[in-house]
Amino acid sequence: MTKAKTRLCPNFLSSFPALRYKNYRIFFIAQSISLIGFWMQRVAQGYLVFQMTQSPFWVGAVDAISSLPTMLLALVGGTLVDRFPKKNIFRITQSLQLILVTFTGVLIVTNNINLWSLALMVFLLGIVQSVDQPARVSLPAELVEKKYIHSATALNMSIFNGARIIGPITAGWLIYTFGAGWAFLLNGLLFIAPLIAFNLISFKPFVKKPHPHTLNAIKEGLNYAFHHKLIRLLLLYMTVIGIFGWSYTTLLPVLAERVFHLDAQGLGWLFSAAGFGTVLGAITISAYSSRLNPYKLILFGGILYSISLFIFTLQPIFAFALGLLFLVGFGQAYQNSTIMAKVQQTVNERFRGRVSSILVLTMQGMAPLGSFQIGLIAEHFGPQLAIRVGAMIIFIVAIIFYIETINKKLFRKLILPLVK
């Protein structure tokens, strides 16, 4: 791996060492552009479904349908990532997503969309993303040195959530001015950026190795992850986050209208507030990750995230709600980026694609369960209570994880008697 020559300020590079590498900088810029489109589409999708149905359940259900392929096919995607050159994989996945998103936007703009056709299109997008996401998650570890993986992972989270600031605000304006379909169309246009970028990145030479049959390869990857104690624990924690931690965003369109009495532009600000917090959290993680205890970072992030989210559900004042969502995002950055970095630093190179696919499965593949459960609870007991349940679960699991990783004897003494 070769460091690219750069004129960036040395102090800046010492804070964000992953940016020393030209290949990673190209990836960083392309992701920054593409993910703006992702968040525009996510806001437009939730808004469109709620306007069609006026049902929190269907908002959650369509979101679940979009993530269902990841739950079903992410492990297969991981075997493909280990088996084929990533450059070829990205060319195919980015092209297919561009076509599907643009076509969906055309259907919406021409008033030829309904709930079922929208659900079908987001399901097809999910199939493509079940291959694309494991490749993206595993790529930064190949673009920077191992000691800078945490920096790269944190910066990835910062651009994901930086786009979460710009994308929803842009989507709110587009929906208000032109309609939801234009958010999909602009997202399709923005897929051009990663298509160009992946042709500019100098990937590692691909060495074709003998691989077992797909099912055996999946079994081999699962067996490795299950028997590696730290990776197993990290993946279990991320599974809980995937079900109970991300799902609150599914109900933001409902809260925007029913609690805060906002239009699409106000909804964009709700999404963006958490994005601001996550960006700032990810930046501080990238700058100081080498000096901080990762397990304490995960504990701090989980507690800040869960408490802020719980209080958010009790807050009817929009300005205060934005501040609480900022803290939610900040805690989320500390928790999630540290877990992802720890997995990538620990995993054996031979299993990186497959373990990355399991990580994607826990982060996004569990989203159908998360969206379904939160939509169902919200339908019967209200959106605030549905979000509180997830916040309390994350709080408890964060403490259990920390005790288990720092002091297993204490875990067995304090926690196990409670569940026997």
Side-chain angles (χ1 to χ4, degrees):
M1 188 177 300
T2 305
K3 290 184 182 179
K5 292 182 180 179
T6 178
R7 296 182 180 180
L8 291 175
C9 173
N11 291 333
F12 182 82
L13 290 179
S14 65
S15 297
F16 308 105
L19 292 175
R20 297 175 183 175
Y21 300 87
K22 179 182 177 181
N23 286 329
Y24 181 78
R25 292 200 303 275
I26 295 171
F27 176 72
F28 181 90
I29 293 169
Q31 283 281 88
S32 300
I33 297 170
S34 178
L35 286 169
I36 291 172
F38 168 84
W39 280 108
M40 287 193 304
Q41 179 182 316
R42 183 172 175 83
V43 172
Q45 176 184 308
Y47 179 84
L48 187 61
V49 173
F50 192 59
Q51 294 305 308
M52 286 179 177
T53 65
Q54 289 297 303
S55 168
F57 171 78
W58 280 112
V59 174
V62 173
D63 196 57
I65 289 169
S66 70
S67 302
L68 185 61
T70 302
M71 184 171 69
L72 300 176
L73 300 173
L75 297 179
V76 176
T79 66
L80 296 176
V81 171
D82 281 336
R83 187 170 295 181
F84 298 104
K86 284 188 176 65
K87 191 169 189 174
N88 295 346
I89 289 174
F90 285 127
R91 282 174 175 169
I92 295 170
T93 58
Q94 299 306 297
S95 298
L96 289 175
Q97 288 179 90
L98 186 157
I99 293 168
L100 288 169
V101 168
T102 303
F103 182 66
T104 305
V106 171
L107 289 179
I108 298 170
V109 169
T110 58
N111 293 317
N112 288 306
I113 198 78
N114 58 39
L115 184 65
W116 303 111
S117 57
L118 178 62
L120 173 62
M121 296 310 297
V122 298
F123 181 80
L124 294 175
L125 274 168
I127 293 175
V128 180
Q129 289 166 356
S130 68
V131 179
D132 184 77
Q133 291 301 319
R136 283 179 185 255
V137 169
S138 64
L139 182 59
E142 299 182 15
L143 303 181
V144 303
E145 294 180 60
K146 187 174 182 178
K147 61 183 177 179
Y148 298 134
I149 289 176
H150 201 164
S151 173
T153 303
L155 285 170
N156 282 358
M157 180 159 284
S158 74
I159 57 177
F160 181 81
N161 289 281
R164 188 176 172 181
I165 298 168
I166 301 170
I169 294 174
T170 306
W173 177 78
L174 283 170
I175 294 168
Y176 182 80
T177 308
F178 302 108
W182 288 93
F184 282 80
L185 290 174
L186 185 54
N187 182 25
L189 182 65
L190 294 179
F191 271 107
I192 295 174
L195 272 172
I196 295 173
F198 289 128
N199 282 291
L200 296 176
I201 291 174
S202 300
F203 288 84
K204 284 183 177 180
F206 179 72
V207 179
K208 192 168 184 178
K209 300 175 184 177
H211 285 276
H213 184 273
T214 299
L215 291 179
N216 290 333
I218 292 173
K219 182 179 178 182
E220 191 178 55
L222 288 171
N223 188 59
Y224 169 80
F226 181 78
H227 287 92
H228 193 294
K229 293 181 179 179
L230 179 57
I231 290 178
R232 180 178 69 229
L233 197 58
L234 292 166
L235 291 174
L236 285 172
Y237 190 2
M238 191 59 87
T239 300
V240 176
I241 295 171
I243 297 173
F244 298 103
W246 295 102
S247 53
Y248 82 93
T249 60
T250 303
L251 295 181
L252 287 183
V254 182
L255 294 175
E257 182 167 311
R258 294 187 179 177
V259 177
F260 301 109
H261 310 293
L262 301 170
D263 58 17
Q265 289 178 304
L267 172 61
W269 280 106
L270 286 175
F271 273 96
S272 297
F276 274 111
T278 310
V279 169
L280 183 59
I283 288 173
T284 58
I285 280 284
S286 178
Y288 301 107
S289 59
S290 60
R291 311 172 204 176
L292 302 172
N293 183 304
Y295 304 112
K296 290 183 179 179
L297 289 177
I298 294 171
L299 176 66
F300 168 76
I303 290 177
L304 179 62
Y305 169 88
S306 55
I307 291 177
S308 300
L309 188 60
F310 189 95
I311 298 173
F312 165 74
T313 65
L314 304 171
Q315 179 54 253
I317 301 173
F318 181 58
F320 290 150
L322 291 178
L324 288 164
L325 284 177
F326 175 87
L327 294 177
V328 168
F330 194 92
Q332 191 176 51
Y334 271 64
Q335 176 183 248
N336 295 4
S337 68
T338 306
I339 292 173
M340 294 170 64
K342 199 65 182 173
V343 170
Q344 293 296 338
Q345 287 173 332
T346 306
V347 68
N348 185 297
E349 184 68 32
R350 179 186 167 201
F351 297 99
R352 187 176 300 282
R354 279 165 284 181
V355 171
S356 294
S357 72
I358 301 172
L359 188 58
V360 169
L361 178 61
T362 63
M363 290 189 301
Q364 298 177 20
M366 294 295 106
L369 297 179
S371 297
F372 182 78
Q373 62 85 19
I374 203 168
L376 191 62
I377 295 173
E379 188 79 13
H380 292 90
F381 302 102
Q384 291 98 327
L385 180 62
I387 294 173
R388 279 176 215 146
V389 170
M392 288 187 291
I393 290 173
I394 296 295
F395 180 85
I396 293 168
V397 172
I399 294 173
I400 292 175
F401 173 83
Y402 182 74
I403 294 174
E404 170 66 3
T405 51
I406 299 300
N407 192 330
K408 294 183 180 180
K409 292 181 180 179
L410 184 61
F411 171 78
R412 296 188 179 100
K413 182 178 179 181
L414 295 180
I415 304 300
L416 292 185
L418 298 178
V419 297
K420 285 184 178 179

